[in-house]
Amino acid sequence: MALLPPQIQKLIEEFSKLPGIGPKSAERLTFHLLRSSKASPEKLGEALIQLKREIRYCTVCQMVTTDETCVLCQDSSRDRATVLVVEDPLEVVAFEKTSFKGLYHVLHGVLSPIDGMGPEQLKMRELLDRVRAGGINEVIIATNPDIEGEATANYLRIQLKDHVGTITRLAHGLPMGADIEFADQITLREALAGRRSL
């Protein structure tokens, strides 16, 4: 016999599927929504529906957007010959706080066979197509300095080496195991300035 109504159990299960949310956190979130006068389940539901219905990936860089191309790719003042490759959209936001003026490419993850993430699950083909189309002189690989990030960087280097003049990697001003999205502006700026060839 189930002690909790199926509606509550279902929401707990759905919250548990989110990264970093375990069963206990999922239970707390569920009951917070149930009893709080400030938290509106209706508004949360509407926001989630809008997210899935209206957000898409930029056809050029794979950043999240509501249009066919994102505002960065539409900006004609940016350096189109330099592409900074990142793992996720939050890293674009972090690099935009520096003085980087090139374009981006968002992979939406890193190579991780344990998690079922191979080249086909990432936006690698789109990057290779961009580079093969020409006009890109440098690709800066800005994956996190961890095992999966390094494996992804090496895979990209092999795939891109015959199609672009310069492939660089962020300098190791970022500590091993750190997430780029949490780094401060100075660390990111120094990492960009000290990037190295692969």
Side-chain angles (χ1 to χ4, degrees), residues 80 86 91 130 138:
R80 298 187 176 283
V86 296
E91 292 166 357
R130 279 179 79 181
E138 180 183 10

mmCIF file of all heavy atoms in Angstrom, residues 80 86 91 130 138:
data_model
loop_
_atom_site.group_PDB
_atom_site.id
_atom_site.type_symbol
_atom_site.label_atom_id
_atom_site.label_comp_id
_atom_site.label_asym_id
_atom_site.label_seq_id
_atom_site.Cartn_x
_atom_site.Cartn_y
_atom_site.Cartn_z
ATOM 1 N N ARG A 80 34.355 36.291 -36.595
ATOM 2 C CA ARG A 80 33.792 35.033 -37.089
ATOM 3 C C ARG A 80 34.865 33.996 -37.425
ATOM 4 O O ARG A 80 34.534 32.845 -37.705
ATOM 5 C CB ARG A 80 32.910 35.305 -38.304
ATOM 6 C CG ARG A 80 31.759 36.194 -37.908
ATOM 7 C CD ARG A 80 30.737 36.400 -38.974
ATOM 8 N NE ARG A 80 29.634 37.183 -38.434
ATOM 9 C CZ ARG A 80 28.682 36.713 -37.644
ATOM 10 N NH1 ARG A 80 28.670 35.450 -37.306
ATOM 11 N NH2 ARG A 80 27.723 37.493 -37.193
ATOM 12 N N VAL A 86 32.584 25.196 -26.086
ATOM 13 C CA VAL A 86 32.283 24.991 -24.664
ATOM 14 C C VAL A 86 31.341 23.800 -24.491
ATOM 15 O O VAL A 86 30.741 23.331 -25.447
ATOM 16 C CB VAL A 86 31.664 26.264 -24.038
ATOM 17 C CG1 VAL A 86 32.647 27.423 -24.051
ATOM 18 C CG2 VAL A 86 30.359 26.643 -24.722
ATOM 19 N N GLU A 91 28.420 28.215 -19.846
ATOM 20 C CA GLU A 91 29.808 28.616 -20.067
ATOM 21 C C GLU A 91 29.907 29.754 -21.074
ATOM 22 O O GLU A 91 30.800 30.595 -20.986
ATOM 23 C CB GLU A 91 30.639 27.401 -20.472
ATOM 24 C CG GLU A 91 30.761 26.434 -19.301
ATOM 25 C CD GLU A 91 31.265 25.072 -19.668
ATOM 26 O OE1 GLU A 91 31.488 24.787 -20.851
ATOM 27 O OE2 GLU A 91 31.421 24.253 -18.739
ATOM 28 N N ARG A 130 30.729 23.263 -39.554
ATOM 29 C CA ARG A 130 31.073 24.700 -39.540
ATOM 30 C C ARG A 130 32.516 24.911 -39.983
ATOM 31 O O ARG A 130 32.805 25.797 -40.784
ATOM 32 C CB ARG A 130 30.925 25.277 -38.131
ATOM 33 C CG ARG A 130 29.557 25.632 -37.715
ATOM 34 C CD ARG A 130 29.539 26.155 -36.298
ATOM 35 N NE ARG A 130 29.964 27.549 -36.201
ATOM 36 C CZ ARG A 130 30.048 28.215 -35.061
ATOM 37 N NH1 ARG A 130 29.753 27.619 -33.914
ATOM 38 N NH2 ARG A 130 30.431 29.473 -35.052
ATOM 39 N N GLU A 138 40.758 29.747 -36.165
ATOM 40 C CA GLU A 138 41.164 29.173 -34.876
ATOM 41 C C GLU A 138 39.960 28.600 -34.152
ATOM 42 O O GLU A 138 38.905 29.232 -34.074
ATOM 43 C CB GLU A 138 41.823 30.228 -33.979
ATOM 44 C CG GLU A 138 42.260 29.663 -32.633
ATOM 45 C CD GLU A 138 42.864 30.689 -31.685
ATOM 46 O OE1 GLU A 138 42.794 31.904 -31.972
ATOM 47 O OE2 GLU A 138 43.389 30.266 -30.643
#
